[in-house]
Amino acid sequence: MCGIVGYNGSKKAVDILLDGLSRLEYRGYDSAGVAVRDKDKEIQIFKAKGKLENLREKLEGEKLKGTCGIGHTRWATHGEPSETNAHPHVSNDGNVTLVHNGIIENYQELTAKLGRHDYTLYSETDTEVLTNIIDYYYKKYKMGPIDAINRTMVRVRGSYAIAVMFRDYPDEIWVARKDSPMIIGENEDGYYVASDVPAILKYTNKVYYIDNLEAACLKKDKVIFYDLNGDEIKKELKEIKWDVSAAEKEGYEHFMIKEINEQPDVIKKTINSFVREDYIDLSNTGLSDEEIKNFKQIYIVACGSAYHVGVCAQYVLEDLTRIPVRVEIASEFRYRKPILDKDGLVIVISQSGETADSLAALREAKNQGVKTLGIINVVGSSIAREADHVLYTLAGPEIAVATTKAFSTQLIAAYVLAIQMGYVKGKINETVYQELIEEIKTLPEKVQYELDHLTNKIQKLSSKFSHIKDAFYIGRGLDYAISLEGSLKLKEVSYIHSEAYAAGELKHGTISLIEDGTLVIGIATQEEIFEKTISNLVEVKSRGAYVVTVTSEDMDVSKVSNFTLNVPKTLKYFYPSLTVVPLQLIGYYITVSRGLDVDKPRNLAKSVTVE
Ligand code: F6R
């Protein structure tokens, strides 16, 4: 999705803008631009289609000395990727310059309004409409930037984070937001604005969060916040605990492999944030034992990989708490008019905390008066702020578009929640509780063992299968849940078609696709259904499939497996944490063998803030 960076201070703005935009590249974009101004001079705008490199080339030789500016990477929604449609956009007479993330839903109606007032448009974007609407209110009421911005916020529908420069206010950047992320950073050199933390983390970890329908004015030496009435409001400066190095490649070829290798560390940090010596402490989340005892139904809602965590969590939560659990894709949940149990709990899982459909699902639950809990990575994100309770995952910044380390920490959060709920509800006794706590603590070193012992093997396997057209991932129970994630990891980065199937379901149609040499990855760790999964693998092997089996080190798959990847032994609930690692590595290495850009797969964006 689009990215915003802005700076107003004592340093050269263009360098900070380009550096910040390069750190947002991972979000996906197809054009970029900057607007910089020197005190009392006109705003200078440069834009380019395609990679940021194209913009850099255009800027070569330009002496942009200004210390105030805004920049943008655009992921096309309204209008094709082109230099004309790229941001910043400028109002008809150059009075307002603006960058925007999000979508203006009533842009057609607003375009007609502008037409009636003799405005003309040069691009196909909803952003240019927004720019001119601000200009229109600015000139009509003549009450300055905050009045024009607030009138615009009342008039437009949709989601937006905007950074605006007014010709009459040379030393100011104005920002506002609704349902699209934005933070303001501060250090001794000045003020920063960004749509995403990694853009400015190198410069500061001190940030302000602005809420929906609030605005701010960034001057060189202070920032002033406003509510929708135009009244000044106070905000607390918060510290982001993320490590700057976590947003750098640090010698790795790609962020994806770096993040896969960070898993032992981030899993450990996440476990340590909840697990004490011999008990689980959820007090930080504000979830009381009383509340836990009252829940009669759990709904888990999420998108993509986070939904796959939900599928794993469904098995574990139901088994340990004996509360019925329903897991749903957020974009389906929000529009199916769900009938929610008032004594239920809606769990929303999201790395970014900004996914539009997940946020809408959370709001639907809140509208119905049902308690909500977020499993979230980004502190201060919309879902984190709106959920009644939050379990934070400590994955740190995740840059690769394909999630790996955030997924693994979400699993941990789901496990600790399930264990604690099961214990508080009296569904597991002290012995089982202790056994689960002891075992969860061993996961970081088991994941490290896998990285040390499976990487080379998977690299070889992957070069052999880099040319394939299809792959199938099959398993039962929790092994099926992780098949969903394995399959997505392969297809989203390698562009190889792949499907995940509940192993027992294959022969109801899909098995007809199996032919000589088809790659079938079978996950078989669950003892109670092990023999059944093996039978399904035998069925595909006898039809010519090449069977790769991911299984526990104490299980024998020799009669069916062409290639075996053993993971360390653990308790049945925790196998997804171990089986996902080889599946991530398969996705990564097959993609590398195909020579593709693994960190930035085509058409994808890191956080999906539009429906
Ligand atoms: C796939 C992937 C996506 C996200 C999904 C939800 O590798 O990363 O499927 O899991 O877009 O994003 P969040 O967790 O930010 O809500």
Side-chain angles (χ1 to χ4, degrees):
M1 300 281 115
C2 309
I4 290 178
V5 186
Y7 173 70
N8 193 7
S10 56
K11 298 232 154 109
K12 224 171 116 186
V14 70
D15 299 339
I16 293 170
L17 299 181
L18 288 175
D19 179 65
L21 292 178
S22 72
R23 289 165 200 281
L24 293 181
E25 279 190 286
Y26 73 98
R27 294 176 62 97
Y29 71 105
D30 39 50
S31 58
V34 291
V36 176
R37 94 184 282 181
D38 224 346
K39 203 170 170 34
D40 302 329
K41 288 211 183 115
E42 280 299 301
I43 297 172
Q44 290 172 281
I45 296 177
F46 293 86
K47 310 201 265 190
K49 186 181 165 191
K51 292 278 165 201
L52 207 51
E53 243 355 88
N54 302 347
L55 179 64
R56 278 187 206 280
E57 270 170 34
K58 278 200 162 179
L59 286 165
E60 253 167 48
E62 293 291 339
K63 296 198 174 53
L64 286 184
K65 293 205 192 98
T67 55
C68 177
I70 53 181
H72 190 261
T73 44
R74 173 174 187 255
W75 190 80
T77 50
H78 286 268
E80 56 168 17
S82 70
E83 191 173 317
T84 311
N85 288 335
H87 305 201
H89 282 286
V90 185
S91 62
N92 274 194
D93 66 357
N95 178 37
V96 178
T97 303
L98 175 147
V99 294
H100 160 226
N101 282 2
I103 285 186
I104 303 303
E105 284 162 7
N106 57 338
Y107 76 100
Q108 281 173 318
E109 171 200 332
L110 297 174
T111 306
K113 177 183 171 74
L114 289 172
R116 290 195 296 275
H117 294 278
D118 298 330
Y119 280 85
T120 53
L121 300 176
Y122 58 82
S123 78
E124 303 156 276
T125 64
D126 52 347
T127 302
E128 193 196 351
V129 177
L130 184 62
T131 311
N132 282 300
I133 287 288
I134 293 179
D135 180 65
Y136 168 78
Y137 285 126
Y138 182 83
K139 290 187 175 131
K140 179 168 178 188
Y141 293 99
K142 299 188 177 47
M143 288 171 73
I146 187 60
D147 180 74
I149 288 173
N150 278 347
R151 284 181 195 277
T152 305
M153 287 210 271
V154 172
R155 189 68 176 79
V156 302
R157 284 200 308 276
S159 63
Y160 48 83
I162 53 172
V164 195
M165 297 202 287
F166 290 85
R167 191 169 46 202
D168 305 339
Y169 295 81
D171 266 346
E172 294 176 2
I173 296 174
W174 287 80
V175 301
R177 72 172 280 263
K178 178 180 166 274
D179 290 343
S180 205
M182 176 171 257
I183 49 160
I184 292 170
E186 169 184 308
N187 70 7
E188 54 289 353
D189 301 326
Y191 287 87
Y192 301 76
V193 58
S195 51
D196 212 0
V197 177
I200 57 170
L201 195 56
K202 181 175 152 192
Y203 305 101
T204 182
N205 65 349
K206 306 267 189 323
V207 300
Y208 296 98
Y209 294 106
I210 39 177
D211 283 319
N212 271 344
L213 298 174
E214 289 180 351
C217 173
L218 280 66
K219 301 188 185 240
K220 296 225 177 278
D221 56 351
K222 64 175 170 192
V223 55
I224 306 165
F225 298 96
Y226 298 91
D227 65 14
L228 201 53
N229 296 318
D231 293 331
E232 283 188 30
I233 47 174
K234 289 265 167 284
K235 291 266 156 194
E236 213 183 309
L237 191 61
K238 300 255 164 89
E239 192 177 312
I240 292 176
K241 302 237 158 44
W242 286 358
D243 182 0
V244 187
S245 65
E248 309 281 346
K249 273 195 205 146
E250 290 189 311
Y252 283 94
E253 204 181 336
H254 300 106
F255 277 111
M256 185 172 173
I257 191 67
K258 178 185 177 235
E259 289 165 2
I260 289 174
N261 277 282
E262 279 172 356
Q263 290 180 116
D265 182 46
V266 295
I267 289 176
K268 190 172 190 170
K269 282 187 180 141
T270 305
I271 293 171
N272 289 346
S273 71
F274 299 118
V275 179
R276 307 287 164 257
E277 195 57 26
D278 57 358
Y279 69 100
I280 290 170
D281 178 5
L282 296 184
S283 56
N284 278 346
T285 70
L287 193 64
S288 68
D289 286 1
E290 225 36 63
E291 280 176 289
I292 291 177
K293 281 181 193 151
N294 284 336
F295 293 135
K296 303 212 165 40
Q297 167 81 48
I298 294 173
Y299 310 89
I300 306 177
V301 194
C303 301
S305 293
Y307 166 76
H308 300 155
V309 172
V311 181
C312 294
Q314 179 186 32
Y315 288 99
V316 181
L317 269 162
E318 260 190 359
D319 217 38
L320 292 177
T321 67
R322 305 314 296 157
I323 309 174
V325 181
R326 183 169 175 165
V327 55
E328 281 187 75
I329 292 169
S331 54
E332 292 296 311
F333 176 90
R334 65 180 289 194
Y335 290 117
R336 76 167 174 86
K337 300 198 195 102
I339 303 164
L340 303 178
D341 186 332
K342 291 269 177 268
D343 294 322
L345 171 70
V346 172
I347 302 176
V348 179
I349 307 176
S350 174
Q351 184 284 127
S352 63
E354 300 291 351
T355 301
D357 286 320
S358 304
L359 180 59
L362 177 94
R363 289 178 179 166
E364 171 64 32
K366 291 192 82 172
N367 281 343
Q368 293 198 30
V370 178
K371 281 263 159 60
T372 56
L373 179 145
I375 295 181
I376 307 293
N377 195 44
V378 178
V379 177
S381 58
S382 301
I383 300 177
R385 281 187 290 162
E386 292 185 30
D388 298 315
H389 306 286
V390 182
L391 266 77
Y392 281 108
T393 51
L394 301 186
E398 192 176 62
I399 308 291
V401 165
T403 182
T404 52
K405 62 173 179 168
F407 178 92
S408 287
T409 55
Q410 287 164 346
L411 275 179
I412 298 296
Y415 294 152
V416 294
L417 185 66
I419 299 168
Q420 191 61 13
M421 286 180 90
Y423 183 61
V424 170
K425 279 194 162 276
K427 300 295 175 191
I428 53 174
N429 63 27
E430 187 66 35
T431 317
V432 175
Y433 185 61
Q434 291 307 330
E435 198 189 352
L436 289 164
I437 289 177
E438 275 320 299
E439 184 59 23
I440 201 170
K441 289 185 198 163
T442 68
L443 292 178
E445 72 202 52
K446 287 180 178 166
V447 170
Q448 187 61 57
Y449 179 88
E450 294 183 276
L451 292 168
D452 295 342
H453 291 85
L454 295 179
T455 302
N456 281 346
K457 221 174 156 185
I458 290 172
Q459 242 173 315
K460 283 189 195 123
L461 174 79
S462 302
S463 55
K464 191 166 154 189
F465 283 95
S466 63
H467 62 284
I468 55 170
K469 297 243 175 316
D470 297 290
F472 293 87
Y473 288 72
I474 64 170
R476 287 170 180 256
L478 276 168
D479 292 332
Y480 164 60
I482 215 67
S483 297
L484 294 168
E485 178 59 6
S487 170
L488 181 62
K489 279 292 86 75
L490 179 71
K491 78 176 111 185
E492 67 179 332
V493 289
S494 73
Y495 315 143
I496 293 170
H497 165 251
S498 89
E499 285 188 49
Y501 254 81
E505 184 66 8
L506 211 60
K507 52 181 165 301
H508 297 283
T510 310
I511 201 165
S512 65
L513 293 171
I514 305 294
E515 51 189 28
D516 256 0
T518 306
L519 177 63
V520 176
I521 300 181
I523 296 95
T525 63
Q526 302 293 302
E527 220 171 312
E528 294 139 34
I529 40 182
F530 179 74
E531 286 307 327
K532 308 261 179 234
T533 306
I534 295 301
S535 304
N536 299 133
L537 287 172
V538 169
E539 285 157 13
V540 292
K541 191 172 186 193
S542 60
R543 285 161 179 84
Y546 183 91
V547 175
V548 172
T549 315
V550 179
T551 188
S552 173
E553 61 195 3
D554 64 337
M555 289 175 170
D556 179 13
V557 292
S558 56
K559 74 173 178 191
V560 66
S561 190
N562 294 103
F563 191 95
T564 305
L565 294 164
N566 285 127
V567 304
K569 190 170 162 46
T570 186
L571 293 177
K572 64 177 178 180
Y573 303 117
F574 301 143
Y575 273 111
S577 286
L578 302 183
T579 48
V580 77
V581 177
L583 302 184
Q584 294 167 341
L585 289 168
I586 290 173
Y588 174 75
Y589 281 112
I590 288 192
T591 306
V592 171
S593 319
R594 287 161 76 89
L596 297 168
D597 184 352
V598 69
D599 282 339
K600 285 178 247 130
R602 67 186 176 205
N603 307 335
L604 295 182
K606 181 65 184 166
S607 89
V608 184
T609 48
V610 292
E611 285 184 45

